[in-house]
Amino acid sequence: MLTLRCPAQLQLLEDTLRKSLPTTLPVLGNVMTVARGNPFSHEVLVDSWPHFGVVLTRLRPEEHRDHRDCYINQLTVFHRDEGALQALLRGTEAVAPARAFQVLGMQEGLEEAVQEVASARGLKVE
């Protein structure tokens, strides 16, 4: 996963996400926050740039105080490609299985993808 920090990249991502409202709303809100000063210490990750398949926003790893608190450890996700979403959930360091987390997104198939990956890992989903 690539972390976007450049204001020009964040602006381009913001413009791209605006075209897919309302399904991008949770991610777009966090991208806008990061682009405008980032008071909540979030980061924006993409699988590739500029043609991304999935966007993830999360609290910076160094800011995680309690690995059991799923409310602090929120992830927002928008995907263009379900395969990229599955790869993100299965095999990247962006989603740490040792930490409780909450996934926020508004797309069809997100819940099913999370359930499938969790059951394959023997994890509980609430």
Side-chain angles (χ1 to χ4, degrees), residues 58-111:
R58 67 178 185 184
L59 188 65
R60 288 186 190 140
E62 61 270 14
E63 297 293 327
H64 289 235
R65 293 176 186 89
D66 185 354
H67 294 291
R68 296 168 289 149
D69 188 346
C70 66
Y71 296 104
I72 294 291
N73 301 319
Q74 287 186 357
L75 310 173
T76 59
V77 177
F78 171 73
H79 67 279
R80 291 179 170 171
D81 173 18
E82 274 196 47
L85 175 64
Q86 291 283 349
L88 169 76
L89 294 173
R90 280 200 174 106
T92 68
E93 295 175 15
V95 180
R99 188 174 71 229
F101 60 88
Q102 189 173 173
V103 178
L104 303 173
M106 296 179 63
Q107 290 179 276
E108 296 275 333
L110 179 59
E111 182 179 354

Side-chain angles (χ1 to χ4, degrees), residues 8-78:
Q9 289 177 326
L10 292 168
Q11 184 61 51
L12 181 59
L13 179 60
E14 187 178 320
D15 294 343
T16 302
L17 293 172
R18 283 181 191 275
K19 294 175 185 171
S20 297
L21 282 169
T23 57
T24 60
L25 191 58
V27 172
L28 177 60
N30 281 340
V31 170
M32 291 173 66
T33 299
V34 170
R36 288 161 179 78
N38 200 12
F40 303 112
S41 297
H42 279 88
E43 61 184 1
V44 177
L45 298 107
V46 293
D47 60 337
S48 60
W49 186 256
H51 304 289
F52 62 89
V54 65
V55 178
L56 171 87
T57 67
R58 67 178 185 184
L59 188 65
R60 288 186 190 140
E62 61 270 14
E63 297 293 327
H64 289 235
R65 293 176 186 89
D66 185 354
H67 294 291
R68 296 168 289 149
D69 188 346
C70 66
Y71 296 104
I72 294 291
N73 301 319
Q74 287 186 357
L75 310 173
T76 59
V77 177
F78 171 73

